Amino acid sequence: MLAAAHLPAAPATATPATPATATIATLTVVQPPPAPAAGIGRLAATVGRLQSLLHDAESSADVRVLIALARGILMERLHIAPAAAARQLEELAERSGVPVVELAADIVNEIAGDPLGEVARAAVPDPRRDTSGAQALNVRLRAAEAGVLTASDVHAAAGSLHRQALEPLGAVAVAVWALAADGSLLLAGHSGFPAAEARSWYQTPPGVETVARRAIRTRSTHWSRGSDRAPSIGERTLGPDAARVAIPAQLGGRLLGVLEICWPGPIGELPQPVHRQLQALAELCAHTLDIMPADQSGQGGQSGQHSQNSQHGHNAPGAPGLAAALDPGLSDLLDGLLEPALVLQPQYDASGVLTDFLIAHANRRFVDPVGRPSAAILGTPFLQAYPLSAEDGGLYQRIEHVHATGEPFHHDRVVLRALIAGVPVSTSLTVGISRLGHRVVLTWHPEDEEARLARLLQHAQRLGRMGGFEENLLTGEVTWSSELFELFALPGPALPVPIRELAAHAHADDVAAISRFVRTVLHHRTHASAAFRLQRGDGVQRYIRIVAEPVLEGGTMTAVRGACQDVSAQHWTEIALAATRDRLEHSEREVEEGNRLTLRLQRAIMPVAPTLIDAMGLQIATRYRPAEKGHLVGGDWYDAVVLPNGRILLVVGDVAGHGIDAATEMVALRNALRGLAATGATPSQMLNWLGTVAHHMSGNVVTATVICGIYDPEDRVFRWSRAGHPPPLLVRDGSTVVPPVPDGILLGALGEARYEEQTLQLQQGDRLLMYTDGLIERRDRDIEESLADLLKLVQPDIDSLEGQLEHLLLHSNADTDDDTCLIGVEVR
């Protein structure tokens, strides 16, 4: 904490690097990791890669929270379970042709109605141009908000704001200042500044004029550029040319702090939408400061420093020092052990807290597992000699526990991992720890190869549910592994079963197979295998596979050895697969029959043959291209109807899903829209009503994309609204454009939704093309790129309207094999 002006402190002296040849060792119960890369350059590259992975993981976490918020809205509005809300969100994104995260941001904006949503909507550019930037802004703002809502403290919230919303604007650092009761400014959170400099600027007294203080005094946004510069955090690291802005964080008229943003160099005047974005982010900071006040203890949360103990610590009061030699009798006792041994003496700090153990003695048989002589480690702290033993569950915790409780510890196999000059070394040890007075004795010895292989074999038999046997034919002695006794469920005192008596333990139907097996091994003297049902003593029946081979010595068969394996799980799996295969064939036949019925229904409603209509000064051509695969029968539809008032209803739509449900829902929406059009309502009003119908249709939520338009022949005005559907194309005077697009979410997504309306003044010779996403949808690109390709595909010089539609169908590069509807309108 600063005592006066709280200006940045001098940078701390760098800690000397550890020599490249230093030895690092640890005792753990895990396998040794891969060898690390050697060299400072590779180490720096590894650190950079890990930082990038951490940044991506934090960004992904913010996005996941945003998607969870959208799911919660759907759960509340649609009254559905979490799993159903997740599926609904994915289906809505698929039908609207936008990523899930963008749709989630749209749903949150639709419901929230807050400054962030207003900023995102105001930044949406002309739909005839690329909209990727606006969509990215929409997602970034909501992801930043999601990260702030789930942040554990203001520091984490500042990191989310920087990562999601401000890095794309070129900002390199962010500071969130909290206004304390005494008028001082506390650095509640920051991102992009060195930790040492952040600690220096933790608290700024009321009398110090800083960039943030000027924003507090004027209660307005303050820019720091050129000569009008006040001191602030990051002066040394960012340099004199850095630009920064301080925005008051206010909530309900209360001034809670300041959001300060820094750029690495001069920047020009920012557009007005960016100013509104920064103000909205400052308000978000105010909400954070309101629920998470800054720590005024002077530690600054994340920036506090821990005190450091001396290297060797201190002995506890009354405890013998290291200089005191071991009792000669104890030394002789340890030197007489057949195992390497260390004597560890506890070390304490001034307050009596245990800090480490000094290696006070090593017996004559001691051999360091990483090859160092005993003189190299005597008198050094244990954690210095074996630093990685301090990991959770490692050897150091075991030593501490034995010293505190006196309970001895023994482990048959501990893996020693060590790194010597970049070369990985690992050794398996048997470790013992015991307390001797106030000291701790540690013993270990390497595990021999025979014991290691025996243990591996035991684990392999246990995991494979198998056991081995050997029968001496000369003496009659039979030897079984413990796993085989468990497999046969024989009690402890029971004797192993000779190979000739196996038939007595088999199912009656399998006796013949066991007899052939025994005859092949004993009489034909060759290896054999068999499968049989084992009748165990506990009444449980298991399926066993047995394999055996004879042991021949000088032409004489002296023994038989083999193994038994429990294959019951595999047997029952094969039976279940056979039954599943039969059910699957039956289900496939039922699905095929349902697809045929659905296809007939759709063909009756939507004729495949092309149509051409002349009505009220319009020439209307329609095309319908069904999916190539019958099981993809969908809910695409079009409609062109002359209304009683002389106007013409033009509709194209797509119901989510495939099959009989999608086809019947399409028919219901099509007929409902025809009935609504007869009332004389506007397109936006019809979609409002139709959305309510879709949301409550037959008790199930129906989602669909629709373009609904009314053409008035008297003034040649086309009024239209859309519900998440791709926009139409206007062909005029040899060029093709996308007319201004009204906002509108998918039908059925929300119970009550607002749909905008646009008016298009048509002229003689104009052509209007409406379509479903089956014409442009591709798996390898987003909807904006596909729409740009469609604009290039239209040929204005084609004289015939029908020829234009045929050209689009023929040259479309869609690859999703979905239904496609096309309506072409030409003004006569």
Side-chain angles (χ1 to χ4, degrees):
M1 187 172 77
L2 296 179
H6 299 271
L7 296 179
T13 303
T15 302
T18 303
T21 58
T23 299
I24 299 177
T26 181
L27 290 173
T28 63
V29 294
V30 300
Q31 293 296 331
I40 299 300
R42 292 184 181 180
L43 179 60
T46 300
V47 172
R49 184 175 69 254
L50 293 177
Q51 289 175 339
S52 177
L53 291 174
L54 176 61
H55 183 279
D56 294 341
E58 292 172 339
S59 299
S60 300
D62 295 341
V63 170
R64 286 195 297 270
V65 174
L66 171 60
I67 294 175
L69 289 175
R71 289 175 182 169
I73 292 173
L74 293 178
M75 290 169 57
E76 189 275 333
R77 292 303 177 98
L78 305 182
H79 304 290
I80 56 179
R87 291 193 300 269
Q88 183 76 5
L89 187 63
E90 293 176 355
E91 291 175 2
L92 293 177
E94 180 181 359
R95 302 312 305 171
S96 60
V98 299
V100 172
V101 64
E102 292 185 16
L103 181 61
D106 288 338
I107 291 176
V108 174
N109 285 338
E110 183 76 16
I111 298 302
D114 58 351
L116 287 180
E118 295 173 3
V119 169
R121 284 192 292 269
V124 174
D126 190 321
R128 289 170 289 186
R129 299 192 296 268
D130 179 30
T131 60
S132 60
Q135 292 170 345
L137 173 62
N138 191 15
V139 173
R140 290 199 309 268
L141 293 180
R142 287 304 179 188
E145 178 188 42
V148 169
L149 290 176
T150 56
S152 58
D153 52 25
V154 185
H155 185 68
S160 181
L161 286 177
H162 185 197
R163 183 172 58 250
Q164 296 290 353
L166 297 174
E167 272 188 353
L169 297 178
V172 295
V174 176
V176 178
W177 304 93
L179 182 60
D182 62 353
S184 61
L185 288 174
L186 306 177
L187 185 59
H190 65 87
S191 176
F193 296 109
E197 189 161 12
R199 285 193 295 269
S200 300
W201 280 91
Y202 169 69
Q203 185 176 20
T204 305
V208 178
E209 184 76 359
T210 64
V211 176
R213 178 68 60 189
R214 291 181 178 179
I216 289 287
R217 189 177 62 253
T218 61
R219 281 184 174 254
S220 62
T221 301
H222 175 75
W223 285 91
S224 179
R225 296 189 180 101
S227 59
D228 184 24
R229 179 178 298 278
S232 189
I233 182 175
E235 290 287 329
R236 257 192 241 99
T237 55
L238 296 180
D241 295 329
R244 63 180 71 219
V245 62
I247 310 167
Q250 304 182 77
L251 185 63
R254 293 182 297 136
L255 184 58
L256 300 178
V258 175
L259 170 63
E260 185 173 346
I261 308 166
C262 303
W263 285 265
I267 59 173
E269 185 65 26
L270 297 178
Q272 189 61 31
V274 175
H275 283 282
R276 291 197 296 270
Q277 176 184 346
L278 299 181
Q279 291 170 356
L281 295 177
E283 183 175 335
L284 187 58
C285 288
H287 283 279
T288 305
L289 293 172
D290 192 37
I291 61 176
M292 288 186 288
D295 175 22
Q296 300 188 36
S297 64
Q299 296 303 315
Q302 74 283 352
S303 59
Q305 290 185 333
H306 299 288
S307 61
Q308 297 181 350
N309 298 322
S310 63
Q311 180 182 8
H312 299 290
H314 303 276
N315 293 319
L322 180 60
L326 294 180
D327 181 85
L330 177 58
S331 299
D332 294 342
L333 175 63
L334 295 176
D335 289 339
L337 295 178
L338 300 179
E339 299 175 341
L342 293 176
V343 177
L344 307 179
Q345 182 167 304
Q347 295 293 289
Y348 304 87
D349 62 13
S351 60
V353 176
L354 179 68
T355 59
D356 204 343
F357 292 86
L358 287 184
I359 300 177
H361 179 77
N363 69 352
R364 295 175 181 176
R365 292 187 176 271
F366 174 79
V367 176
D368 182 49
V370 295
R372 294 170 294 187
S374 59
I377 63 171
L378 280 176
T380 63
F382 187 80
L383 289 178
Q384 179 178 326
Y386 304 98
L388 297 183
S389 66
E391 62 188 6
D392 290 343
L395 182 63
Y396 185 78
Q397 288 187 359
R398 301 294 185 181
I399 296 174
E400 282 186 316
H401 181 77
V402 171
H403 176 261
T405 64
E407 300 175 0
F409 170 80
H410 182 273
H411 200 289
D412 291 334
R413 184 173 183 268
V414 174
V415 176
L416 168 67
R417 295 188 291 111
L419 185 64
I420 306 177
V423 179
V425 177
S426 62
T427 307
S428 296
L429 303 172
T430 298
V431 174
I433 310 173
S434 58
R435 192 174 70 183
L436 185 63
H438 66 277
R439 299 182 177 96
V440 174
V441 177
L442 169 65
T443 63
W444 60 41
H445 64 83
E447 181 184 35
D448 59 77
E449 185 68 11
E450 183 178 351
R452 187 179 69 86
L453 294 178
R455 189 187 64 258
L456 290 177
L457 177 60
Q458 183 180 13
H459 288 317
Q461 292 181 355
R462 176 180 56 84
L463 294 174
R465 297 185 59 80
M466 62 187 302
F469 64 88
E470 183 175 82
E471 182 174 346
N472 190 322
L473 299 179
L474 301 180
T475 64
E477 180 184 4
V478 181
T479 304
W480 276 15
S481 68
S482 60
E483 289 77 16
L484 197 54
F485 277 98
E486 296 178 3
L487 194 60
F488 274 69
L490 295 181
L495 297 176
V497 179
I499 190 172
R500 291 183 176 88
E501 299 178 12
L502 280 178
H505 295 268
H507 192 276
D509 295 341
D510 298 330
V511 170
I514 291 295
S515 299
R516 287 193 298 270
F517 165 77
V518 173
R519 185 168 57 254
T520 301
V521 175
L522 297 183
H523 296 286
H524 297 290
R525 300 203 298 183
T526 184
H527 71 277
S529 63
F532 67 97
R533 282 164 287 183
L534 174 66
Q535 302 285 50
R536 305 200 322 175
D538 57 4
V540 177
Q541 179 176 283
R542 309 296 296 178
Y543 284 81
I544 302 297
R545 178 175 178 81
I546 184 172
V547 59
E549 64 177 5
V551 178
L552 302 176
E553 296 180 3
T556 302
M557 186 169 63
T558 60
V560 174
R561 58 191 174 201
C564 295
Q565 183 177 19
D566 186 351
V567 294
S568 302
Q570 178 183 350
H571 174 78
W572 291 116
T573 300
E574 292 174 353
I575 294 177
L577 285 176
T580 302
R581 193 178 300 111
D582 293 339
R583 291 195 298 270
L584 181 60
E585 292 176 356
H586 177 70
S587 300
E588 287 177 347
R589 290 193 296 270
E590 289 184 341
V591 170
E592 184 178 355
E593 181 63 25
N595 286 338
R596 283 198 295 268
L597 293 176
T598 303
L599 189 59
R600 291 176 185 173
L601 172 63
Q602 190 180 49
R603 296 298 182 266
I605 300 169
M606 303 294 297
V608 178
T611 59
L612 183 64
I613 305 171
D614 285 310
M616 311 300 291
L618 281 185
Q619 186 181 62
I620 306 172
T622 62
R623 292 292 187 275
Y624 173 69
R625 180 177 65 188
E628 295 181 6
K629 299 179 182 179
H631 70 275
L632 291 180
V633 172
D636 290 25
W637 93 89
Y638 62 85
D639 209 356
V641 181
V642 179
L643 301 176
N645 57 12
R647 297 175 180 173
I648 300 174
L649 172 68
L650 299 173
V651 179
V652 63
D654 186 2
V655 175
H658 297 89
I660 188 66
D661 290 339
T664 53
E665 290 163 358
M666 175 267 288
V667 174
L669 292 181
R670 181 189 185 199
N671 293 338
L673 196 55
R674 282 189 173 188
L676 294 173
T679 65
T682 63
S684 59
Q685 184 62 58
M686 285 191 287
L687 287 188
N688 288 336
W689 291 337
L690 191 64
T692 303
V693 172
H695 190 74
H696 301 286
M697 182 179 291
S698 304
N700 298 321
V701 176
V702 178
T703 57
T705 64
V706 180
I707 285 182
C708 175
I710 299 291
Y711 175 73
D712 191 341
E714 293 184 0
D715 53 9
R716 293 179 176 174
V717 172
F718 180 67
R719 293 175 175 83
W720 65 290
S721 292
R722 62 184 284 271
H725 200 84
L729 306 181
L730 175 63
V731 183
R732 173 181 291 173
D733 298 332
S735 63
T736 306
V737 297
V738 178
V741 180
D743 288 338
I745 200 168
L746 279 74
L747 284 180
L750 299 173
E752 297 180 0
R754 301 184 300 273
Y755 295 95
E756 295 183 358
E757 185 173 300
Q758 288 285 357
T759 300
L760 185 60
Q761 179 66 57
L762 298 179
Q763 304 172 8
Q764 184 175 0
D766 285 353
R767 287 180 183 173
L768 196 63
L769 305 176
M770 297 187 294
Y771 52 91
T772 58
D773 58 5
L775 182 67
I776 62 174
E777 198 170 38
R778 287 189 62 85
R779 298 181 181 90
D780 59 350
R781 63 189 62 185
D782 57 31
I783 196 69
E784 286 76 19
E785 293 176 319
S786 299
L787 181 57
D789 292 341
L790 181 61
L791 285 169
K792 299 175 184 177
L793 183 61
V794 176
Q795 297 293 328
D797 55 350
I798 297 179
D799 294 334
S800 169
L801 179 60
E802 290 187 294
Q804 183 71 263
L805 300 187
E806 292 293 342
H807 173 79
L808 294 179
L809 288 175
L810 178 62
H811 296 284
S812 168
N813 61 354
D815 63 357
T816 56
D817 192 25
D818 201 358
D819 290 10
T820 301
C821 287
L822 267 173
I823 292 185
V825 177
E826 183 172 349
V827 181
R828 294 295 190 178

